[in-house]
Amino acid sequence: MTAERRAPFDPAGNDRAVGTPLGTVVKVVKDSRARTIGDKGVAPTADDRSKRPLPGNPRLRAAAAALQDDRPDIAENILREFLELHPGNVEALRLMAETAAQNRRPGEAAALLARCLAPAPDLASVRFRYAELLFEISDFETAKSELEILLQHDSRNSSWRKLYGAVLRMMGDYAGAISLYREMLEESPDRPDLWTDCGHALRSLGRTDECVAAYRKAIELCESLGGAYWSLANLKRFRFSDAEVAAMEAQLARTDLLANDRSYLHFSLGKAFEDLELHEKAFEHYARGNAIVRLANDYDPDVTTAYVARCREVFTPAFFHERNGAGCPAPDPIFIVGMPRAGSTLVEQILSSHSAIEGTTELDDITALARHLEEAIAPNHRSDYPGVLEYLDAAALKALGEDYLRRTCYRRRLGRPFFTDKMPNNYLHAGLIHSILPNAKIVDVRRHPLGCCFANFRQHFSTGQLFSYRQADLGRCYRDYVELMAHFDGVLPGRIHRVVYERLVADPKAEVTRLLAYLGLPFEESCLRFYETSRAVRTASSEQIRVPIYSDAVEQWRHYEQWLGPLKQALGPVLETWPGAPAL
C-alpha cells in the first residue's frame, strides 16, 4: 500500500478532530451561519477568496482560475514551475498556500504564508489567512500573536476579533472571550453568530442561565438557526417548552431550510421527545438528522480499518524493544482516550480533583504532531504515518516528546506535577504517545458498545466523528477501536489502564482507587467529590461533571434497542465478548 493510500488524516477545515482517520473529520460547512455554531467557533474568512481579482501575470492568472474552478492539482503544477523561476514572488506563494489548503495540507499552507509575510509584513489579508491556518493546525499561541498584530492596526475589524475570540476559547480564556463577545454585541446586537459563540463560552464556565439566554437570543434573531436549538438541546438538564417544540417543527416544514439547519433541528427534536419519553418519535428524528449529515460526508470505514491494520504492522514488540529508553522521559501527561461519549470527561474531572493533577481540556497537540509527521516527515522517507516512526532515531523521538510538552505548557497554570490531555481519539495515536513519551500514562475509558454507540448516534458533533452518523459505521469504528486497544494490550502489557464506565458508575471509590494506583498517586477523597471542583469544561458533558455521579445514561440505549439491529450486526463479536475483546 502506498503512502498516499494509507494517509490517515483529513484536516480539511476542522478544529480538534484533525488527526483521526480519513473521514472521521467533518468538512467545513459552507453555510456561513452554520460555521459559527460549532464548539470551536470558526471565524468567517477575511474576504470571499473565490471572488478575489485574478492576478495580472498570465501564469498566475491561470493558477488562480484553476483554484476558483476547484482544480488545485492543476494550479499546483503551474505554481511549482513558476516558483522555480521566481521563488520569492508573494502572489505565487499566496496562491500555492491556498492550493496546499485545498489539498488538505494546512501546515504546509501556513509555512508558505509565513514566507509571504517576511518580505511583505503589511499584507493584512495574508496575515489573517495565516492566523486562520494556524488556528486550524492548533497553533493557538502563534495565531493569537498574529491576530494581535492585526488588531493593533484595526481594533474594530469584526472578522479578526471573532477569530481572536475563538482562539481565546481554545486557549481556555473563556472570561476573555466572553468580554470580547459582549463588546462586539454592544456594537452589533443583531448577530446570532456572536450570541451563540458567547453562549458556548458561558457554558464552559458553567453559567447555564446566561448561556440559555444567549442561545435563545440567537434563535430570536434567526428563527431557522438549527445549531442554536441544538446548543440548547445539548444542555443535558435543559427541557424545551411546548412552544419551542412547535417552533422547531414549523421550521422543518419549510422547503427552503438549509440542510445543516434541518439536521440540527431533527437532533434537537429527538432530544425533546426523548425527554418526554416518546422514544419512537425521538428515534425517528435522530435517524433523520443522522441521515442528512451522513449523505453530506464521504466517510469510508475501510480507511479506519486499514489504518488499524497498519498500526498492528508497525507497532510490534520488536519496534518498542528497539526503542527502549528513547523518547522524552517526562511523566507529566495523563492521556485519557477512548471512543467519544464513553465517559472520558467524567474521568478527567475526577482526576482534576486530585491535588497532584491539573485538568486541561481536549488538546490537539498529539494530532498536530501526527499530522506534521505525515505531511512533512513521512514523504522524505517514502513512508506514511505511522510507518514513518520506524525511521526516527532516539533523538528525534525525544525532540517530539519535548515539543509536545512545549506546546502544552501554556495550559498548565497551577504548578501541579501532572496534567490531563483528554482527547478521546488519541487512542489512534497510542503508539506515537508511547514512542515519544514512554513514561506518560494512558487511560482508556470504555463504555458498553450499544450504550457508547447510541450516545454517539444521538449526538450532532460540531465537527468531526463522521463515523457516528450511520449505525453500521459506528459498529465498525467501535470494533476497530477495540481491536487497536487489544493490540496495544498485547505488545505493551500493563501500559494502558482501562476504566469501564459502568463499573465506575456502580462503584466509584473502587474504580477511582484502582485508577490512582495505576498513576502512582494516593487516594484522595476529593476525587469522589469531583463535582465540587470548579474549572472550565468545553465538551458536551460539561454539565454532567458538575453534579454527583448518576446512572441515568447507563441503560438509556435500551429504550431504543428494537431499532439498533444494524449496529448490533456491525459490532458482531465485540458485543458478545464485552467488556473484553475478541481474539485477534
Side-chain angles (χ1 to χ4, degrees):
M1 185 180 292
T2 66
E4 288 74 20
R5 290 175 59 85
R6 285 190 185 280
F9 306 132
D10 179 6
N14 292 279
D15 52 15
R16 61 194 183 286
V18 174
T20 56
L22 181 63
T24 65
V25 284
V26 71
K27 297 176 181 177
V28 168
V29 181
K30 292 184 179 179
D31 170 21
S32 61
R33 290 179 305 142
R35 291 183 65 184
T36 70
I37 298 300
D39 178 65
K40 203 168 183 180
V42 179
T45 54
D47 49 45
D48 186 350
R49 282 182 283 275
S50 67
K51 298 178 181 178
R52 184 191 293 270
L54 294 175
N57 183 282
R59 298 301 293 159
L60 296 185
R61 178 180 287 269
L67 277 174
Q68 290 187 2
D69 292 339
D70 198 24
R71 296 181 296 166
D73 293 339
I74 293 175
E76 185 166 359
N77 290 334
I78 295 171
L79 291 166
R80 287 196 185 282
E81 292 180 1
F82 187 89
L83 284 167
E84 285 182 4
L85 299 174
H86 312 281
N89 185 282
V90 170
E91 183 62 16
L93 289 169
R94 184 194 66 77
L95 288 169
M96 183 62 93
E98 288 304 322
T99 299
Q102 284 195 27
N103 281 325
R104 300 179 178 183
R105 302 195 305 271
E108 178 183 329
L112 286 163
L113 291 185
R115 287 175 58 190
C116 286
L117 290 170
D122 294 331
L123 290 176
S125 62
V126 172
R127 191 175 297 279
F128 179 69
R129 182 61 175 142
Y130 180 45
E132 283 188 307
L133 289 163
L134 291 168
F135 182 82
E136 186 174 325
I137 64 176
S138 304
D139 189 351
F140 303 121
E141 285 190 285
T142 309
K144 182 172 181 283
S145 298
E146 294 299 317
L147 288 165
E148 286 171 348
I149 292 172
L150 289 170
L151 290 168
Q152 286 176 1
H153 296 281
D154 183 359
S155 63
R156 316 304 284 180
N157 186 290
S158 178
S159 295
W160 301 349
R161 293 159 81 193
K162 183 172 169 61
L163 182 57
Y164 191 68
V167 169
L168 292 177
R169 285 168 52 200
M170 293 307 297
M171 296 183 72
D173 185 3
Y174 299 103
I178 291 168
S179 177
L180 175 62
Y181 292 141
R182 285 183 168 164
E183 179 183 291
M184 294 178 72
L185 284 166
E186 286 182 6
E187 303 164 11
S188 305
D190 59 347
R191 285 186 57 178
D193 60 317
L194 293 179
W195 284 107
T196 53
D197 287 348
C198 191
H200 297 330
L202 289 163
R203 174 183 172 163
S204 296
L205 294 179
R207 293 160 61 174
T208 306
D209 291 343
E210 296 172 82
C211 163
V212 169
Y215 293 146
R216 281 182 162 151
K217 181 64 177 179
I219 293 168
E220 176 187 324
L221 293 167
C222 182
E223 59 185 8
S224 65
L225 198 57
Y229 275 109
W230 174 243
S231 295
L232 288 170
N234 219 13
L235 296 165
K236 304 307 178 185
R237 300 294 182 178
F238 176 84
R239 298 293 179 266
F240 286 110
S241 68
D242 291 345
E244 287 170 324
V245 171
M248 287 188 282
E249 291 178 321
Q251 289 300 313
L252 284 176
R254 292 173 49 176
T255 58
D256 61 341
L257 190 66
L258 293 168
N260 195 62
D261 287 321
R262 189 173 296 277
S263 67
Y264 274 125
L265 287 168
H266 276 303
F267 275 92
S268 301
L269 282 169
K271 171 62 163 54
F273 289 120
E274 181 175 290
D275 290 337
L276 295 171
E277 299 187 359
L278 299 173
H279 297 111
E280 183 173 2
K281 202 166 184 179
F283 186 82
E284 179 183 350
H285 280 288
Y286 286 141
R288 288 184 178 185
N290 274 287
I292 292 169
V293 181
R294 185 62 180 89
L295 285 170
N297 75 60
D298 57 357
Y299 175 70
D300 182 356
D302 290 339
V303 176
T304 306
T305 301
Y307 173 79
V308 170
R310 178 60 170 152
C311 287
R312 293 181 63 184
E313 291 175 0
V314 172
F315 298 119
T316 63
F319 174 92
F320 290 116
H321 178 74
E322 292 168 4
R323 290 157 183 80
N324 186 38
C328 173
D332 308 27
I334 301 170
F335 293 93
I336 303 172
V337 306
M339 286 284 287
R341 314 300 297 136
S344 57
T345 301
L346 173 60
V347 171
E348 178 193 37
Q349 182 72 0
I350 289 170
L351 292 180
S352 301
S353 303
H354 195 283
S355 62
I357 304 173
E358 178 168 5
T360 60
T361 186
E362 294 184 339
L363 304 181
D364 306 279
D365 302 281
I366 285 294
T367 52
L369 289 175
R371 179 173 50 196
H372 171 72
L373 287 169
E374 183 194 44
E375 286 187 10
I377 308 301
N380 296 334
H381 300 281
R382 298 179 180 272
S383 185
D384 59 5
Y385 174 82
V388 65
L389 292 170
E390 296 178 303
Y391 295 92
L392 303 185
D393 59 20
L397 295 174
K398 182 180 180 182
L400 285 169
E402 291 172 342
D403 189 30
Y404 169 84
L405 293 176
R406 178 192 61 78
R407 291 173 59 101
T408 56
C409 66
Y410 74 94
R411 284 288 189 179
R412 304 180 67 179
R413 301 167 181 170
L414 302 181
R416 296 179 181 179
F418 304 102
F419 70 99
T420 63
D421 181 339
K422 188 204 78 75
M423 175 62 79
N425 289 347
N426 273 346
Y427 77 83
L428 294 158
H429 307 301
L432 171 63
I433 290 170
H434 183 73
S435 297
I436 68 174
L437 292 160
N439 294 319
K441 302 294 186 180
I442 304 176
V443 179
D444 173 24
V445 184
R446 186 166 300 182
R447 185 176 177 183
H448 187 284
L450 293 175
C452 182
C453 290
F454 182 71
N456 278 273
F457 190 72
R458 63 190 291 277
Q459 181 74 34
H460 193 312
F461 292 93
S462 59
T463 53
Q465 321 307 356
L466 290 196
F467 60 84
S468 69
Y469 298 100
R470 186 165 65 185
Q471 291 190 48
D473 295 342
L474 267 165
R476 281 278 303 274
C477 190
Y478 193 100
R479 284 178 62 179
D480 287 332
Y481 149 70
V482 169
E483 178 180 326
L484 185 58
M485 291 294 97
H487 171 73
F488 284 115
D489 287 343
V491 299
L492 295 171
R495 178 71 177 83
I496 298 172
H497 178 81
R498 187 151 297 113
V499 173
V500 176
Y501 173 72
E502 288 79 3
R503 292 174 182 168
L504 177 62
V505 171
D507 192 350
K509 186 170 184 178
E511 293 304 309
V512 170
T513 300
R514 287 182 60 248
L515 174 57
L516 292 174
Y518 160 75
L519 298 175
L521 295 172
F523 176 81
E524 290 183 0
E525 195 69 28
S526 58
C527 293
L528 299 182
R529 299 196 307 275
F530 58 87
Y531 46 88
E532 297 176 357
T533 301
S534 177
R535 68 185 189 92
V537 178
R538 194 173 69 222
T539 68
S541 302
S542 60
E543 289 176 284
Q544 293 165 275
I545 54 85
R546 303 190 196 281
V547 296
I549 287 179
Y550 57 91
S551 59
D552 299 22
V554 171
E555 300 295 319
Q556 190 176 40
W557 61 271
R558 294 192 183 278
H559 295 298
Y560 303 90
E561 186 172 6
Q562 61 182 304
W563 302 296
L564 300 183
L567 174 58
K568 290 181 177 181
Q569 183 176 358
L571 286 168
V574 168
L575 188 56
E576 299 165 7
T577 58
W578 160 261
L584 294 177

